[in-house]
Amino acid sequence: MGIRRQDHFHSHQTSLPLHPQSDEVLKLNPLGKVPILVEEDGGFSLFESGAINTYLGDKYRARNSTLVPVPGTRERGLYEQTLSVLATEMDAQGLWIQRKHETLGEFYTFVPDAVKHARKYFHKTNRCIIGQLKKNGGPYLLGRNFTAADIYYVHCLDWSQEIGWDDKWRSEIAVVEYLDLCHSRPAYIKVNQMKNDQRKEAATKASIAKTRKSKL
């Protein structure tokens, strides 16, 4: 993920795969994190995934009236609650701790005990979200409509699979069916392909740079 520049009038997006903590990113987000949304006129930028998705859902409601529930409704309240749990509990206190103190331990220091606790907390939080999925009758987190909260949850589930934290939920039929459904959506397939293309491009550039260096 990087910076996404959006046409103010036509909702056309161009993705720029910039790295966290790079000078370009720090100019737009003092925390140095991505993704960041930048509108084409350059007069407005926004960071934090939940904020970006909610802003776009409200702004382009005429194109997709259910991606973000209408403000002031009970469904919107549940949507906001779900996003908050995913961002502040599942992501920040679970998955991000693993990345920070294990995957990126070389930079942030390795803290095995913190990672161990974070894994337990991830599972605890996920049980809460799974309970919501079942209670609302599915097929999505808020019920029959796919929302931006599902985008965030699928991101977290995919992330947990990548690091082997799916051991507690991969036998949950409701979650497996939910994830399969979300993975089959055309938008997910398109974005996933974009990510794969970016990884291949980055790997190719790294290989070329390594070859050139070896010849010096």
Side-chain angles (χ1 to χ4, degrees):
M1 298 295 289
I3 294 178
R4 292 190 177 189
R5 297 194 179 277
Q6 182 185 40
D7 186 304
H8 186 77
F9 298 103
H10 301 97
S11 188
H12 172 71
Q13 292 189 11
T14 302
S15 181
L16 306 177
L18 299 178
H19 295 289
Q21 304 302 325
S22 64
D23 291 340
E24 296 92 336
V25 169
L26 286 168
K27 289 178 182 177
L28 297 167
N29 181 357
L31 296 175
K33 294 182 178 182
V34 294
I36 303 171
L37 175 73
V38 181
E39 293 194 330
E40 279 293 308
D41 60 9
F44 182 71
S45 63
L46 195 65
F47 54 86
E48 291 299 328
S49 298
I52 292 172
N53 288 335
T54 300
Y55 169 73
L56 293 176
D58 281 337
K59 183 175 181 179
Y60 296 105
R61 185 168 303 283
R63 302 185 183 187
N64 188 328
S65 62
T66 61
L67 185 64
V68 174
V70 176
T73 62
R74 291 181 177 181
E75 187 178 26
R76 178 59 171 256
L78 180 58
Y79 165 83
E80 297 283 2
Q81 172 186 281
T82 305
L83 270 187
S84 180
V85 170
L86 291 171
T88 64
E89 308 293 334
M90 180 173 285
D91 186 338
Q93 296 191 56
L95 296 162
W96 174 244
I97 297 299
Q98 185 279 337
R99 177 167 292 177
K100 187 175 183 180
H101 293 301
E102 187 169 279
T103 303
L104 301 176
E106 179 182 354
F107 306 100
Y108 294 101
T109 69
F110 293 97
V111 188
D113 285 345
V115 175
K116 182 179 179 180
H117 177 75
R119 182 170 187 163
K120 291 180 179 179
Y121 196 74
F122 165 80
H123 291 313
K124 177 181 179 180
T125 307
N126 198 30
R127 286 196 297 271
C128 173
I129 297 297
I130 293 172
Q132 176 180 323
L133 177 64
K134 293 178 177 180
K135 180 181 178 180
N136 291 335
Y140 301 111
L141 285 179
L142 270 63
R144 64 179 181 177
N145 294 322
F146 178 87
T147 69
D150 294 294
I151 295 175
Y152 207 143
Y153 186 39
V154 169
H155 162 69
C156 289
L157 290 178
D158 286 347
W159 188 351
S160 73
Q161 282 186 312
E162 291 175 6
I163 61 177
W165 283 16
D166 59 339
D167 54 309
K168 299 291 187 180
W169 64 257
R170 61 189 175 208
S171 60
E172 281 275 0
I173 296 177
V175 182
V176 173
E177 292 181 344
Y178 164 83
L179 197 57
D180 286 344
L181 177 63
C182 293
H183 281 174
S184 69
R185 292 176 62 84
Y188 178 90
I189 295 172
K190 181 178 180 180
V191 171
N192 202 45
Q193 184 59 54
M194 288 172 59
K195 289 181 179 180
N196 289 335
D197 290 343
Q198 288 176 358
R199 291 191 187 102
K200 290 179 181 178
E201 182 179 355
T204 299
K205 289 181 178 179
S207 178
I208 293 175
K210 184 177 181 180
T211 300
R212 288 176 176 173
K213 187 176 180 180
S214 65
K215 292 181 178 179
L216 294 179

